[in-house]
Amino acid sequence: MARNGVFEARFPLMGETLRDGEGGEVLSWSLNSDFLSPTDQWEITFVDTKTDPRWFEAQPVELYVEGRKHLDGRVDSSIRGDSGSRVKLTGRDYLADLVECNVDPSVTFRAGMSLDKAILEIAAPLGITLIVDQYARNQERIGKAPAGAEALPAKYLTENKPQPSMSVYQWIAKVCARYGVLPQPGLARDELVLQRPSYAGEVVPSPTRQP
C-alpha cells in the first residue's frame, strides 16, 4: 500500500497536474503492471465539478510515485460519477499504440540483421527510436538495479516475415520470444526495453491507493 501524498499524474499538453495527499484532488489511484501483459493499465479517481472529463481523453499522461516516473501513457476513457463531483480516468502505457497498429506485411529484413535494428525500423512510425537497457530503467523506477540480472547477448533475426493482420507488438513479441525476452515500456515514449525475467529479486507489488 503506497503512502498518502506520493502520487502525481502530469498531463503535459494540458499543463495540468493531479496529486493525492492533503490539498490534492486525487482520491484513489492504481497502476497494474504485469510482465506478461502487453501494456500496463492505470486508473485515477479525483474530485472535479467543472472540467469536462472528455478533455482528458487521448491525452498523454506521466504517472509518478514518490517522485519516480512509473508510467508514460495515455488516457483511454473518462466517466463522471458520484452526482457529478468525481471523475474517473483509465488508460494504458504508450505501448498501446504498438498493440493497436498492424505491422506492414510487405516489410522485409536482411538476413542476419540485428534484432534491435529490426525493431526500431518497424516501430519507428509509432515513435520508438531507442532500445534501452533494462537496468537503467529499473534503477530509475524503483531506485535499484534488479537482482540476479544478466546482460543480454547479441540478438539477430532468423525467420522474420510479418504475417497479415499481425500487430506491431505481436511481431516484436514473437521475434523476442526466441531469446527469452519480452518488450517492455521504458521511461520515455520513444524507448523500448527488451527485458528478460529475473527470479532472484524480491516481488514488488503494483502500487495503489484506495480512499
Side-chain angles (χ1 to χ4, degrees), residues 20-96:
D20 74 342
E22 185 176 354
E25 310 92 339
V26 175
L27 301 173
S28 66
W29 55 270
S30 66
L31 306 178
N32 185 9
S33 179
D34 189 327
F35 185 73
L36 297 179
S37 296
T39 61
D40 293 346
Q41 301 177 8
W42 59 270
E43 67 176 48
I44 308 168
T45 300
F46 61 97
V47 176
D48 186 288
T49 59
K50 298 179 180 179
T51 306
D52 185 340
R54 292 175 296 181
W55 291 358
F56 287 95
E57 294 181 7
Q59 288 288 334
V61 61
E62 301 169 357
L63 304 184
Y64 290 78
V65 178
E66 295 183 335
R68 298 182 182 276
K69 184 189 284 188
H70 274 246
L71 186 146
D72 220 322
R74 73 181 192 200
V75 180
D76 285 337
S77 66
S78 65
I79 186 171
R80 184 178 293 281
D82 197 18
S83 300
S85 64
R86 296 185 182 186
V87 171
K88 180 179 180 180
L89 304 179
T90 61
R92 294 169 291 171
D93 66 42
Y94 64 91
L95 294 192

Side-chain angles (χ1 to χ4, degrees), residues 103-120:
V103 65
D104 182 354
S106 67
V107 172
T108 58
F109 301 99
R110 299 186 307 275
M113 188 177 192
S114 74
L115 180 61
D116 290 7
K117 182 174 289 187
I119 289 174
L120 292 178

Side-chain angles (χ1 to χ4, degrees), residues 2 6 17 25 38 53 60 65 77 82 89 94 160 171 175 179 202 204 210:
V6 299
T17 298
E25 310 92 339
V65 178
S77 66
D82 197 18
L89 304 179
Y94 64 91
N160 52 41
W171 183 87
V175 296
Y179 299 94
E202 61 180 314
V204 180
Q210 299 297 332

Side-chain angles (χ1 to χ4, degrees), residues 98 103-104 107-126 128-131 155-162 168-169 171-173 175-176 178-179 192 194:
L98 278 65
V103 65
D104 182 354
V107 172
T108 58
F109 301 99
R110 299 186 307 275
M113 188 177 192
S114 74
L115 180 61
D116 290 7
K117 182 174 289 187
I119 289 174
L120 292 178
E121 185 169 321
I122 210 165
L126 300 174
I128 303 299
T129 63
L130 188 65
I131 303 297
K155 303 168 288 295
Y156 299 93
L157 288 179
T158 52
E159 187 274 324
N160 52 41
K161 182 66 176 176
V168 173
Y169 182 89
W171 183 87
I172 294 174
V175 296
C176 285
R178 297 190 179 96
Y179 299 94
L192 189 69
L194 304 185

